[in-house]
Amino acid sequence: MSAFSSSSSSSSSSTTTTTSRPFPIIPSFLVSTILAFVPIAVMGGSTAPTSIPQVDFGKMGTVGLGGAFSGLDWYTSDSPFASSSSSSQQSFSSTGDTLFYRTEDGIFRALGSTNDGGIINSLCWSSSPDSTNGTLFIGGTFSSLSGKSANNVGSFSLSTNEFSALSSGLSGNVNTLYCDNDNHEVWFGGSFNAPIGQGGGNVALWSTSSSAWQSPSFGGLNGNVATIIPSSNKSSIYFGGDFTTTFLSNSSSMNSTSRTNINSQPNAPINTTTVGQSGYLTPLTISASASESSQYQIQAGPSSSSTSGYSDTNGLLCPDSGTTWLAQENTISNVNLVGNQYLPATGVRMVNGNDNGRSTKYFCFTTLPDYAELNMTYTDPTTKKNETCTTHCPLFNDPSISAQDFIFTQGTHNLTGFEIQLKEWTGDGAALKSVSLLTDGAYSSATGSDASDTCSSAKKSTIQSVGDWSSRTAATDSATETFLSSTISTRNPTSAQVTFYPHVGSAGQYDIYVFIPGCLNIGDCDGRTSVDIEVFPLRGGLGWTSTISEQVQYDTKTLVYSGPVDATSDAFSPTLSLALASNPAAPAKGNNYIVVADRIQLVLTGITQSGSTISSSSSSSNGTNTIGTPITNSTLHGNSTLNVAYGVYEYTRSSNSTLNAATSALTNDTETPLTRLGFALDAALNASGSAASSWVVNTIVVANNTVFVGGDFSASNNYTNVISIDTSSGAASALASQGLSGVVNTAAIVGGYVFFGGDFTSTASSGGIALNYIARYDPSSKAWAALGGGVDGYVTDLLASTSSTNQLIVMGNFSHIISSNGTSTQTGGYATYDVSTSEWLNTGIVFGNVSAGAVPSSSSGISSESFFAGKVYGSAGNSIGGVATLSTNDDGNAVISSLNGVNFGTAGSAASPNPSSTSSRRRSLMKNASHSLTRSWLSRYTDILVERAHNVLSNRATPPTIPNQISEAPAVLAGAFWTNSSESGKPTITILGGNFSSSSSSSSSSSNNVEGIAFYNEKQGGLTGPSTPIQGVVKTLNVINNNVYIGGQALNVQNVGSGILVYDLKAGNWVTGGMPTLNPPSGINNVTVNAIRTRGNTNTIVVAGNFGTAGSLSCTAVCLWDSKNAQWSTPGSGLSAGEVRAIDFAGESSDTLIAAGSFALSTGDVAYAASYSFSNSSWTPLGTLPGPALAIAVDDKNSSNIFAAGYSTSDGSPYLQQWNGATWTAQSDSLAPGSLVSQLAFVPMKSEHPSQGAIESDRMLMVSGDLYFENSGNVTSALYDGSTWYPYLVGTSSKGELGTGGSLFWSESSFSFKVRHYLARGLVVLVAIAIATGLILLLVLIAILLAFCFRRRERKDQTLYEKQDVDSDSDVNSTHQNVFNNVQAALEASLIGGGLATGTAAAAAAGTARNRNDNRASDPSSYNSGAYPIGSDDDEEEQEDEGRETTMRYDFDGPELQDGELPMKAGQRIIILDDEQSTEWWFAKDPMTGKEGVVPATYGKFQLISSS
């Protein structure tokens, strides 16, 4: 059978036989009450298997189990510490990585492990060569797998459960695997030499059909390979990592983006008469405010003197102003613009006036400062032919012509101003609406105050600067240039950047130039350095990066980009940023860099229409030196014949190329969209400088035609660590918010979403959403989303589950998942997220970090299994942070659940480290303990016990010292419950105590550290604690009214006290004063309080432990505190020395205290168990036990049935013994030597079992601690039925070792052991329907009867009514009716004791009790545990009336007994409470148990006694 095949689990212990009983007859008046308490929701958690006895925790209220464990599971023969599993199953390794899998039922099982220090990085599942279940292929850094030699690669057969080597393996680390089942291949990527000698390496190919290495057709790659995946149609394979590939280029290109599908649209107004491509040129108009700032002076004149409102010259420079300027009548007029900065103009766009019957017919254009009258080219709107003009350029007065373009025939002209002379006109004089200079493309100045400004803010070129910049002016031959300058220390460089946003009117092909002012004219040559240039020309495209030198002596214009540029729109603006270089050139002198920012210019070189580019010849460069000087690492290649792609490579299976991708330049016909993405990554890499050392592509994932790439890379202000490319269009896109803030390790696609995992905490851009190491990206809405609150450590791998299409498997170096409300759950390095519900799933816990995973295909026979690898020490099916909730579901089966948001750190509240004996014991249990291994650590511990016992037994009055053992943190050792009646909804607060620490996780509280004691609110989840934390280990808790009494070892609260402490739960503060401090006995430094219990419904609180005095009162080991009068008292003559570990109560009124431990009575006698009578204040030793008792439990307050557990002083072996009122009897010896019991508790069962020994059939004894059974192995808790042991619960620590059971605690102080019988849900529904129908009929009948009685009463006289009253009294007092009432009361009380005590039932019971002569309450088979009772402030003592005693002559017992009948044995004493109601039945009481019920009168005989 395969190791991962599902198999049923069974306990190694014998199976018990259940005696069936008929369903009891329930009185009809209680049916509605019962239905009100029928649970209707299935409780979450892990349900107990049928192979173990079922405990009915529902009777006990809310039940918790604390201990030193992080996981808790039901015991099966497959449990990690079971004896049967040690020989048949592999164990998790503590020194190497483990290969393991998760079964369909959620159990993690180890398959094998590497050598010490070995690492598994990647797994993949292959359907061949093993076609039955498939084969796992493994890659990493290791030398062996489960002892079999394997160099960094290997395989595991899922049918034979055997590891195999792959030939001689690979020479180096393997990072990634891809199993290609269609082609019977396995691809390996990493850092290694080629396995069969081909060049390149780092990629290897294994044939599963021939079981041999093969050479990839492309040879290999020249660097580390981190990921390998197929394309969407599997025609290609994508590789990612830290490598480069080189491709031949047929032509020079500085195009940074693979997107070329732009479509140029003219931006000229409709009906503009254009020249060639002038409609695509950008108007360069001067701002109307320019004249006000004295940058330009606008003059036009003379203006019309006869027409008002037409003299505003500013409107001439704003085409959209709607105003017209009129010249003086019948006079030649001029429009002049005079400035002090050069404007690069290509032409002019004129808008005729056509107003008041006036218009302009001819004009000429003269440039400044050279006063050259320019020849211009225009299109005749009539002939549609191009014409030229110089002195008389025509303006047509056709109103349908919105504007006319005139292009400078000799090309772009740099000018500081112009003069337009309006020479001829129509009407009374010349008229003109606007004049716009045209540029080749766009223009933007770093000062933001030049010709880049326009009248419309929507068309304005803008800039943004970061850092300390100052404005400076440089003089040229004909004008002045204003630019920005920044001085930066070479010792501590700071950020200095200017970003240009030029207004681009039309999309097209552009050259982008950066202007650099010469340093000689400015005088800053000594500090000049180099700058990084980043150009982002296309919406959704990649950036183009280069580094250029500013160490130029003369004004220089440097080409930094050539290619497509999108037009400016509301959604996008092309940008160019200039910043100090990542590796700046050293200044010639001094300790400062000087960076200058002047202007940029975009020159239109062509327009693109329908995919074709039409060149433009209108541009030229005049007036400046156009030779750029890019430095060595610039990506601007003027005549390059090679293109380099970084980090990605696409191998196309159909390619015929035989070139080695690692050593050869590949032909450009093998380029793909992914290759061009690699070109852009290489450009960004070159510009990144020193940051390039960490660059790598870690993951590639494919969603339809889109490829998502993640890793450690970035291009400033564009993309960070993630990017995508559309393989059909070639368009690359940065993801929303510029990507992710940290390294991306892995990606997966589930439910149409792309999930990324890595080492990041948010999106890259500021103000992005918080993402803790894992993120979801929606490609349709282009939005990021968190997965709840993420996880608390980095993610290494993501997998899409094949068993569920909506589940994402998450692996990594984290320990907790975090929900959306901030609460966390411990999972270890493995978690599952449900995409459909957006919730983390409860999938158990692994202790350690998971590095890799693999899932079989959905069509395989094992698709429900999943496989993992990592440094994992153990696992558990239920993640339990030190405390578990035990409950009962609708079917009566026990369920393990965790408290939401309860998590503890590894540090405890104890003042000192754990003893070495504890740690050594823990270490020895890391592996599945065989019998010999278990005995080895147990013998070391018991040697200490025996040694200590021998040292002290020579002195009879000195009891053996019980070794002190602090439970390893985190550990929950005590629990209690409190109802906050003052808060809305009256929530129940669970109080936890132990050796732990945690940060407050409640959303309603301020953050504070939680230590030693914690409060859990069932509504809010999470933990809170006192504002002043407690130090020490809390071992016991007791809630009395609104106070919780806290005891433990070396407890102390700063400025409050020590020993025993009290916290006011309602007020939320520590109670100070009023209680004298407990003091340690002589020779001991600290006080230890092991138990705090309230005696029944009294004010007496029993405190037990290891202490000497209470204040000045001598009070050794046991002391009594009066909660009403606030004073200590010594119980009787007290104890003289020693320690009391556990206490319990016996007797109906808890009138006897049972103490267990190792102590000396006042007589000097050493005892391990003793009783104290509150009635006569005397101590009595209970027989002789083998050694100190560590735990004790009284069966239903029966002083003749007590169980004690401890260890022998002779050999340290454990014992469990039963006290029958006279002697101790040893129980089953299955509890193996070295077991340590921490608690005993009787628990009710779902169904009865055959009575065994002294334990009744409706209960079992639950034993918790560190337990070991010869035939079952190690367990945390076990059940004992009086003869047979049943391993029950197995805890696992955070180190993968056996967890220790600490304390079982529950909310119901009194509960019934009586077995409940569960109706099927369908039957309950039918009963409810029947009852509802009956109630309707009953209401109708009552209405009829009331009407009938009302009419009869009107006709009756008073005598008749009196007679009826007398008859009624006679009926009620009949013997038959009284006996029925007594029996009915017993039945009701049994149901009420089972947890159905509603107001109606209580009233019914009280009414029945009033009919009894002795006025007593019936409570058969009830267990007043006294676990956490509420103390009373009254001084009332329960009194008992006289009765008659008899001895039973016959057995009255068996399954045929009805409810309300009292089971008794022949020879057993009973007290008759009522024998007057019937001659056949007596109402009686069992004096040993306090139970009441009816017995046959013929079964006993009388003698008069007085019961007290």
Side-chain angles (χ1 to χ4, degrees), residues 11 21 135 247 297 303 365 373 385 461 596 705 846 878 905 940 963 1110 1236 1431 1439 1462 1468 1491 1499 1506:
S11 172
R21 298 186 62 182
T135 302
F247 291 81
Q297 294 180 357
S303 300
F365 187 94
E373 196 171 60
K385 294 181 178 180
S461 294
V596 292
N705 292 327
V846 295
N878 297 292
R940 290 197 296 271
L1236 296 176
Q1439 302 294 328
L1462 181 65
Q1468 188 172 349
K1491 296 180 180 179
Y1499 278 45
S1506 177

Side-chain angles (χ1 to χ4, degrees), residues 362-366 373 376 390-393 419-423:
Y362 294 99
F363 73 97
C364 67
F365 187 94
T366 302
E373 196 171 60
M376 297 187 294
T390 303
T391 59
H392 284 73
C393 294
E419 177 185 274
I420 298 177
Q421 188 177 69
L422 307 181
K423 293 186 174 183

Side-chain angles (χ1 to χ4, degrees), residues 118 325 362 412 493 507 617 711 812 837 903 906 921 1004 1014 1053 1172-1173 1188 1271:
W325 179 79
Y362 294 99
T412 300
S617 60
T837 62
N903 291 286
T906 56
R921 179 170 150 275
S1004 64
V1053 175
Y1172 172 76
S1173 173
N1271 297 322

Side-chain angles (χ1 to χ4, degrees), residues 703-704 706 708 735 749 751-755 776-783:
N704 299 321
T706 303
F708 293 87
L735 274 60
I749 296 176
Y753 298 111
V754 185
F755 294 87
R776 188 195 78 184
Y777 186 76
D778 187 344
S780 59
S781 65
K782 302 187 183 304

Side-chain angles (χ1 to χ4, degrees), residues 326 332 444 510 570 611 917 971 1104 1204 1327 1372 1444 1503:
L326 299 181
I332 295 175
S444 181
Y510 289 84
D570 293 338
S917 60
V1327 171
V1372 171
R1444 286 182 287 274
Q1503 77 178 53

Side-chain angles (χ1 to χ4, degrees), residues 846-860:
V846 295
F847 302 108
N849 302 321
V850 181
S851 56
V855 290
S857 67
S858 57
S859 60
S860 68

